[in-house]
Amino acid sequence: MVEIAEIAVSAAELKLGTEPVQGAGVRLSLAEGKVRYSMRARDPKVLEGVLGREVPKRIGGTDAGIACLGPDEWYVVLPDNFDLPRGEGLPVSVVDVSSRALGLVLEGPGALAVLCSGCPLDLAKMGVGRATRTVFETVEVVIWREAEDRWHVEVWRSFATWLWNAFLAAMPDAK
Amino acid sequence: MLLIHCPYCDEARPEVEFAYGGEAHIARPVDPSTYSDEQWEEFLYIRSNPRGRHHERWRHTHGCGRFFNAVRDTVSDVFETTYKAGEARK
Ligand SMILES: [Zn+2]
């Protein structure tokens, strides 16, 4: 039997807040009520036929909840009443990955500085409405700039507690 | 921070988003069963290991996820160019 060592941080410290936290110029909250899909297709037109709508073609572009992450890969975050067609039998993959990730939302004029504390990208130059996969410290995230001062960060759920606390640590006067 | 230009994203991105993938343009044998031990050893292990221009594979793991090729100087660590997988050797 494998024994799993206890983590060196107390459970009390590693709490993923379900309540938003307000800091000086920045608010951190959990994006609830979302469905997520990972979509792959070599030919975007086939995927568009399945979905009955256009998908962004440029890497980093987004359109109404669909982000183009790679030349054949899209990531979807939509309110949880959406159900996308799966395109059975066609050369596409539309997979519900809702439970795989959580969304953390940073809002306010101080949000950019919190993200920049761990992300190596020049996020100040990232346009509103753009999304990209990248890292925060060593944790993979998808960063979505929803508005000038509103950033949606998707993270795999086993990393979410750590990321929440890392954001908190970078938020001035968080309470 | 070392920036690497991803030919798919068409952007210079931080090195930590990438993973190194070894020497480029090494074709996998179509029929390995016809290979002698020496040929198989050559395919698996023998690399050019140059001092200077090196053709190598990289993957934009924490970005678009794509493999691509790069020419990097193994002395200065300067990337001369990057290009999409499948394109001719530069
Ligand atoms: Zn890329």
Side-chain angles (χ1 to χ4, degrees):
Chain A
M1 185 165 151
V2 180
E3 264 188 51
I4 297 168
E6 279 183 47
I7 32 179
V9 186
S10 77
E13 284 171 35
L14 266 185
K15 221 175 246 175
L16 174 65
T18 47
E19 294 297 317
V21 180
Q22 185 68 50
V26 52
R27 180 178 187 268
L28 171 64
S29 60
L30 204 57
E32 289 177 272
K34 302 287 187 191
V35 285
R36 303 172 168 84
Y37 290 89
S38 175
M39 308 194 298
R40 307 294 299 257
R42 187 163 286 178
D43 182 355
K45 288 201 183 65
V46 181
L47 183 62
E48 290 176 332
V50 167
L51 300 176
R53 50 165 292 183
E54 283 196 25
V55 296
K57 313 287 192 309
R58 189 178 156 214
I59 297 174
T62 70
D63 180 21
I66 302 180
C68 181
L69 295 186
D72 61 354
E73 184 184 3
W74 293 264
Y75 189 62
V76 183
V77 180
L78 287 168
D80 62 9
N81 53 348
F82 273 85
D83 187 23
L84 296 185
R86 308 301 155 92
E88 285 94 341
L90 291 166
V92 296
S93 155
V94 179
V95 179
D96 186 330
V97 293
S98 299
S99 307
R100 189 177 72 180
L102 289 171
L104 272 50
V105 180
L106 284 165
E107 289 168 285
L112 178 62
V114 174
L115 277 176
C116 289
S117 72
C119 179
L121 284 179
D122 190 355
L123 292 171
K125 287 193 183 144
M126 186 173 178
V128 172
R130 304 273 297 166
T132 185
R133 191 189 279 134
T134 182
V135 288
F136 187 92
E137 299 287 356
T138 54
V139 170
E140 184 171 287
V141 292
V142 173
I143 294 180
W144 206 309
R145 190 170 200 177
E146 294 182 330
E148 184 68 26
D149 281 343
R150 183 184 164 89
W151 305 78
H152 180 107
V153 182
E154 286 281 307
V155 61
W156 284 23
R157 58 188 313 132
S158 56
F159 294 104
T161 309
W162 179 87
L163 189 65
W164 177 275
N165 285 283
F167 283 168
L168 273 188
M171 283 169 63
D173 309 323
K175 27 182 170 322
Chain B
M1 187 192 331
L2 182 62
L3 298 176
I4 300 174
H5 185 267
C6 172
Y8 291 94
C9 295
D10 198 20
E11 274 180 19
R13 305 273 293 217
E15 184 190 4
V16 290
E17 289 184 352
F18 295 84
Y20 178 66
E23 187 169 357
H25 300 294
I26 293 174
R28 193 171 176 78
V30 178
D31 188 2
S33 62
T34 63
Y35 268 43
S36 66
D37 286 353
E38 288 71 29
Q39 286 173 309
W40 186 242
E41 180 204 10
E42 168 97 8
F43 161 68
L44 281 185
Y45 302 117
I46 309 301
R47 297 293 179 262
S48 60
N49 194 27
R51 181 181 168 85
R53 280 183 106 234
H54 187 228
H55 291 75
E56 54 197 23
R57 304 171 79 215
W58 283 81
R59 183 174 176 232
H60 195 185
T61 319
H62 302 298
C64 65
R66 281 279 143 171
F67 275 96
F68 60 91
N69 292 328
V71 183
R72 182 179 60 94
D73 191 302
T74 58
V75 178
S76 63
D77 205 20
V78 169
F79 280 76
E80 181 184 310
T81 186
T82 57
Y83 51 102
K84 291 179 180 178
E87 288 180 8
R89 189 183 181 91
K90 295 204 173 172

